[in-house]
């Protein structure tokens, strides 16, 4: 049955991954993705979600999504440009623009789709894109789709960016130049040096594009990394996701009215893929209400981040140089890192290991994502388990 060539391809590659221990077995959650999750009947302290503000199962948002479903149904029925633009989508985009302090915003079905659509709407094969070497996979794909030349610069190294921007400009080979960066880099929790990046952009007339998937809801009192630096009027494209701190699903681009008008006629996932469900749009609007009413959740995720960092550092772990609540615990060798993560799981902490090729060889880490929903007791218990496993495996004394 089916193609032999395909079967051979699958057998060969699946066997290779499995024999090397690289095949990722997916864990299935039997609960909401909150601070405690249930896997195979066992309750675990969850330090691996992107649910930074604990909004993924917020009761007010659940209510709002039910209300939107009752009013508009379960599906939008068409792509945005045919007749799948519901009043609730318009409301959502207006709120997103207010939240990001921009003239306008456009919502997509995911953050991934933003990068798949927005870059190629503006850049083409005559152009060049300067891209941080640690940018997210969806940015890399978005750059490829545009056909522009991608020029990688060293991670967050503004001197390297300046040199490469100068070279690209002076070569005369390219039309438009763009610089793309993550706002917060999720593997180390470090933040883009945006003030310096903007200086380089102004010097060489670069279009600026900041994907703030991990910064929105966390940095800048929730409004993101660009707002944190007070540079909202200097960045052309601000990308955000609605699936991390916002806790639902979807993505958006915030920028000038002209830019958003253009994306509405040129961004392919907007034109050729059905719009966000009414439930998702309703839940996100309520999330934005919650975030504007009070800074409580943002304050809490930072407080929990500081607490976890201090705890791990005091125990003697290497926690890298994170500037956000994201807390890597660097173990080093790949096998040991995976063993560390498995032992944490057996003891009751869910914290995923991240190893080469996602991070450089020899810098394997267990990455911890504390959220606003964690209590001190949960973090204390996680720290006690870290201490036990760390001593057992000789990572700390
Ligand atoms: C997670 C992430 C995305 C993808 O967002 P989704 O809404 O989950 O598709 C895009 N860019 C960056 C930098 C991310 O971290």
């Amino acid at each position: 049955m089916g193609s032999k060539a395909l079967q051979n391809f699958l057998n060969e590659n699946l066997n290779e991954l499995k024999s090397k221990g690289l095949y990722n077995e997916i864990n299935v959650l039997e609960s909401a993705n909150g601070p405690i999750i249930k896997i195979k009947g066992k309750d675990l302290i969850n330090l691996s979600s992107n649910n930074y503000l604990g909004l993924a199962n917020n009761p007010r948002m659940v209510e709002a999504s039910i209300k939107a479903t009752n009013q508009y149904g379960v599906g939008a029925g068409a792509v945005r440009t045919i007749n799948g633009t519901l009043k609730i989508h318009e409301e959502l985009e207006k709120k997103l623009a207010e939240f990001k302090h921009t003239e306008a915003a456009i919502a997509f079905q995911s953050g991934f789709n933003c990068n798949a659509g927005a870059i190629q709407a503006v850049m083409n094969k005559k152009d060049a894109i300067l891209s941080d070497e640690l940018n997210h996979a969806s940015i890399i794909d978005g750059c490829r789709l545009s056909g522009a030349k991608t020029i990688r610069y060293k991670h967050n190294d503004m001197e390297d960016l300046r040199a490469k921007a100068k070279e690209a400009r002076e070569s005369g080979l390219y039309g438009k130049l763009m610089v793309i960066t993550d706002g917060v880099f999720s593997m180390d929790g470090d933040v883009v040096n945006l003030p310096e990046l903007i200086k380089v952009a102004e010097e060489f007339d670069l279009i600026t594009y900041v994907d703030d998937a991990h910064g929105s809801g966390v940095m800048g009192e929730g409004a993101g990394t660009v707002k944190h630096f007070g540079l909202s009027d200097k960045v052309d494209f601000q990308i955000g996701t609605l699936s991390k701190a916002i806790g639902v699903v979807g993505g958006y681009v915030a920028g000038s009215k002209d830019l958003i008008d253009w994306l509405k006629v040129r961004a392919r996932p907007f034109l050729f893929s059905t719009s966000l469900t009414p439930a998702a749009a309703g839940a996100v609007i309520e999330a934005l209400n919650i975030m504007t009413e009070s800074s409580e959740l943002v304050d809490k995720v930072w407080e929990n981040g500081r607490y976890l960092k201090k705890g791990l550092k005091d125990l003697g772990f290497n926690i890298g140089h994170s500037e956000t609540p994201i807390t890597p615990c660097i173990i080093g060798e790949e096998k040991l890192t995976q063993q560390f993560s498995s032992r944490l799981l057996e003891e009751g902490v869910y914290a995923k290991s991240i190893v080469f090729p996602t991070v450089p060889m020899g810098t394997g880490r267990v990455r911890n994502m504390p959220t606003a929903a964690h209590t001190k007791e949960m973090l204390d218990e996680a720290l006690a388990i870290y201490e036990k496993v760390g001593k057992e495996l000789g990572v700390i004394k």
Side-chain angles (χ1 to χ4, degrees):
M1 283 296 285
S3 152
K4 265 217 179 68
L6 173 63
Q7 205 49 56
N8 288 342
F9 168 84
L10 295 175
N11 284 347
E12 224 170 85
N13 287 286
L14 283 171
N15 289 341
E16 188 190 333
L17 281 181
K18 284 177 183 166
S19 70
K20 285 187 181 157
L22 292 175
Y23 186 80
N24 182 34
E25 297 290 348
I26 291 173
N27 297 124
V28 178
L29 272 61
E30 294 142 16
S31 64
N33 200 342
I36 304 286
I37 49 176
K38 197 187 277 292
I39 294 177
K40 293 188 178 142
K42 192 174 162 181
D43 281 340
L44 303 161
I45 299 169
N46 175 18
L47 289 173
S48 280
S49 80
N50 296 314
N51 181 20
Y52 294 113
L53 300 179
L55 292 174
N57 56 350
N58 178 282
R60 274 177 62 182
M61 288 164 60
V62 172
E63 240 354 271
S65 73
I66 293 169
K67 195 167 154 240
T69 303
N70 284 333
Q71 189 172 353
Y72 293 101
V74 290
V79 303
R80 289 287 301 274
T81 47
I82 307 289
N83 68 355
T85 294
L86 309 173
K87 191 139 180 49
I88 203 164
H89 293 123
E90 224 182 40
E91 214 180 301
L92 169 65
E93 287 169 339
K94 192 163 161 275
K95 277 221 176 268
L96 285 169
E98 280 167 18
F99 178 63
K100 299 304 282 191
H101 306 271
T102 56
E103 279 177 18
I106 175 176
F108 286 82
Q109 306 86 344
S110 72
F112 199 108
N113 270 353
C114 290
N115 290 325
I119 302 170
Q120 65 165 332
V122 170
M123 304 302 279
N124 62 49
K125 63 180 195 298
K126 297 190 188 113
D127 302 325
I129 302 170
L130 297 140
S131 176
D132 187 291
E133 65 183 349
L134 295 190
N135 275 344
H136 189 258
S138 58
I139 298 178
I140 296 169
D141 288 5
C143 292
R144 282 191 193 135
L145 284 169
S146 77
K149 165 86 178 168
T150 302
I151 303 168
R152 279 158 41 116
Y153 62 89
K154 288 197 198 114
H155 174 52
N156 214 0
D157 181 337
M158 294 305 137
E159 275 323 301
D160 195 43
L161 171 65
R162 177 173 279 112
K164 292 195 165 132
K166 185 168 191 286
E167 193 184 326
R169 187 53 87 204
E170 287 174 358
S171 74
L173 290 172
Y174 309 110
K176 297 189 290 305
L177 294 179
M178 178 184 265
V179 55
I180 303 193
T181 182
D182 277 27
V184 170
F185 293 86
S186 66
M187 293 303 148
D188 289 294
D190 55 333
V191 176
V192 63
N193 180 356
L194 197 61
E196 209 46 45
L197 182 143
I198 294 294
K199 275 190 208 156
V200 178
E202 289 183 335
E203 204 175 325
F204 298 100
D205 190 26
L206 310 180
I207 300 167
T208 48
Y209 189 112
V210 178
D211 180 347
D212 207 20
H214 287 275
S216 281
V218 178
M219 300 287 290
E221 286 95 44
T225 305
V226 175
K227 166 82 184 336
H228 165 80
F229 287 109
L231 292 167
S232 299
D233 57 338
K234 301 275 188 190
V235 172
D236 297 307
F237 289 77
Q238 288 193 58
I239 315 305
T241 172
L242 301 171
S243 62
K244 288 176 179 149
I246 305 289
V248 191
V249 72
Y252 58 93
V253 182
S256 71
K257 183 175 179 307
D258 284 346
L259 173 65
I260 303 309
D261 284 349
W262 179 246
L263 294 179
K264 284 184 175 169
V265 294
R266 277 296 181 279
R268 293 169 69 81
F270 188 86
L271 272 70
F272 299 111
S273 180
T274 298
S275 36
L276 281 172
T277 62
V284 172
I285 290 170
E286 194 60 17
L288 296 171
N289 289 338
I290 291 169
M291 290 171 69
T292 2
E293 278 163 27
S294 148
S295 65
E296 188 189 330
L297 296 176
V298 181
D299 295 343
K300 188 74 186 171
V301 68
W302 281 94
E303 186 188 318
N304 281 345
R306 280 190 291 269
Y307 190 77
L308 185 66
K309 275 187 185 146
K310 180 166 188 315
L312 286 173
K313 207 169 169 189
D314 288 350
L315 286 172
F317 286 104
N318 172 6
I319 57 164
H321 52 273
S322 169
E323 301 164 73
T324 61
I326 296 171
T327 306
C329 186
I330 298 164
I331 307 294
E333 202 259 321
E334 285 64 37
K335 273 247 157 56
L336 181 62
T337 308
Q338 274 156 347
Q339 195 186 358
F340 196 97
S341 171
S342 309
R343 282 291 297 128
L344 288 177
L345 184 68
E346 285 165 9
E347 295 293 330
V349 170
Y350 191 95
K352 272 270 191 197
S353 62
I354 297 174
V355 297
F356 180 80
T358 308
V359 293
M361 190 72 95
T363 69
R365 67 208 51 199
V366 176
R367 190 177 52 163
N368 302 286
M369 319 282 258
T371 74
H374 287 91
T375 61
K376 280 258 154 37
E377 291 68 35
M378 292 172 194
L379 297 178
D380 283 337
E381 197 181 331
L383 286 166
I385 292 169
Y386 254 97
E387 181 174 17
K388 178 175 176 195
V389 174
K391 286 184 175 159
E392 177 191 306
L393 296 180
V395 176
I396 54 169
K397 287 198 203 81

